[in-house]
Amino acid sequence: MHHRTTVAGFAGALALSALAIPGAAQADEVSGDIRITKVVVNGGKDIVLGTTDVKTFTIAVTATDDSGIEVGKTFPVMWHTPLPNGDYYGLVMPDNIAGKCLRQSFTTTTCTYTLKMNPRIHPQDNTTAGTWTVSATALANDGDYITKDSAAKAKVLRNSRLTVNASPEPVKKNKTITVTGALTRANWETYKYGGYTKQPVKLQFKKKGTSTYKTLKTVTTDSKGNLRTTTKATADGYFRYSFAGTSTTPAVASAAEYVHVK
């Protein structure tokens, strides 16, 4: 089931008559010399969602005005797709709209907000994986205000998993081993992990006693996300698969598979 969230109820709850959450296709609104100078989502890291666990993250909004920023009147919302009727497809709002505000100087304040994303509610479906937009508003002590429709961007990604298995083990030197594995990612519609098909994945090897993996070859996942290739066993060491990630799915490396060469 998809859950469409609208902004109307939230705007009313804020009771900020001078400010409004920007509607779809609206431009920024500003009155006076107030500015939003910085917005940081999740400490600058991507937000990665699986199929069950709720992700808690922060958005920090820094605003400045010559009269100072009115605490409790700065807030962000994060959204994916604006709809023609002014609603949004995919929308996340702070748990506490007051946030935790730290005054950097007389003119500048940073307010940090805690938000939560539930993979079974907020993404709504797999089409919302990728770039989300943060809208932010701020109010100054002298009545100046700003609504910034696109104050920042953030990536919301479908969690990925990668496995590896090498056999036979142990193996005689210079004999062929088969290395299998699977690349899967979270599906926000079935709430299960499914194979990520037709993706390039690197087979890497780290010789025992060294600290660096070297890429042996690139293998492409099949129609079910599975990996299978062969290579020569030349020395004791560790094999792994490594996936670079895409615009909707984060990079991931498998655990290391140790192979003893006799």
Side-chain angles (χ1 to χ4, degrees):
M1 178 181 295
H2 298 162
H3 305 267
R4 179 167 296 171
T5 307
T6 65
V7 301
F10 180 58
L14 290 171
L16 301 177
S17 59
L19 304 176
I21 296 175
Q26 283 187 353
D28 295 348
E29 293 184 35
V30 61
S31 174
D33 57 2
I34 187 172
R35 290 180 297 131
I36 292 174
T37 58
K38 190 176 183 181
V39 176
V40 179
V41 183
N42 196 35
K45 299 179 181 179
D46 294 338
I47 299 167
V48 180
L49 291 179
T51 58
T52 57
D53 292 344
V54 174
K55 174 70 176 181
T56 300
F57 64 99
T58 61
I59 297 180
V61 180
T62 301
T64 186
D65 184 85
D66 59 4
S67 70
I69 301 302
E70 187 173 347
V71 174
K73 300 297 178 67
T74 301
F75 65 93
V77 294
M78 194 167 79
W79 51 272
H80 184 268
T81 308
L83 299 175
N85 66 354
D87 294 341
Y88 291 87
Y89 195 59
L91 180 72
V92 186
M93 300 167 290
D95 288 347
N96 180 357
I97 62 173
K100 294 183 178 180
C101 297
L102 177 63
R103 195 174 180 181
Q104 309 292 342
S105 67
F106 176 78
T107 60
T108 304
T109 297
T110 297
C111 294
T112 302
Y113 303 84
T114 299
L115 298 88
K116 293 180 180 178
M117 289 194 79
N118 186 328
R120 302 197 173 200
I121 298 175
H122 297 107
Q124 307 203 321
D125 59 38
N126 294 325
T127 65
T128 61
T131 302
W132 287 50
T133 299
V134 176
S135 298
T137 65
L139 181 68
N141 289 322
D142 61 4
D144 290 353
Y145 66 89
I146 184 172
T147 296
K148 204 167 184 179
D149 196 28
S150 182
K153 300 290 185 180
K155 288 288 188 70
V156 180
L157 305 179
R158 297 165 61 181
N159 189 44
S160 53
R161 294 175 176 174
L162 187 54
T163 62
V164 67
N165 183 67
S167 63
E169 196 283 318
V171 64
K172 291 184 179 181
K173 187 174 183 178
N174 294 323
K175 291 295 184 179
T176 298
I177 62 171
T178 299
V179 186
T180 58
L183 174 64
T184 58
R185 62 175 177 166
N187 187 317
W188 295 334
E189 297 170 17
T190 64
Y191 310 126
K192 298 178 180 179
Y193 278 79
Y196 199 4
T197 66
K198 308 302 180 184
Q199 296 300 312
V201 179
K202 293 178 180 179
L203 175 64
Q204 299 180 325
F205 178 73
K206 181 177 71 172
K207 187 176 180 180
K208 183 180 178 181
T210 66
S211 59
T212 304
Y213 277 95
K214 295 182 178 180
T215 298
L216 303 179
K217 62 174 72 176
T218 298
V219 187
T220 301
T221 58
D222 65 14
S223 61
K224 294 183 179 180
N226 294 321
L227 293 156
R228 184 181 181 90
T229 191
T230 59
T231 190
K232 297 287 186 180
T234 59
D236 288 355
Y238 303 86
F239 289 90
R240 75 175 185 183
Y241 277 118
S242 178
F243 174 59
T246 64
S247 61
T248 61
T249 308
V252 64
S254 70
E257 174 82 345
Y258 181 75
V259 173
H260 171 57
V261 174
K262 295 186 294 183

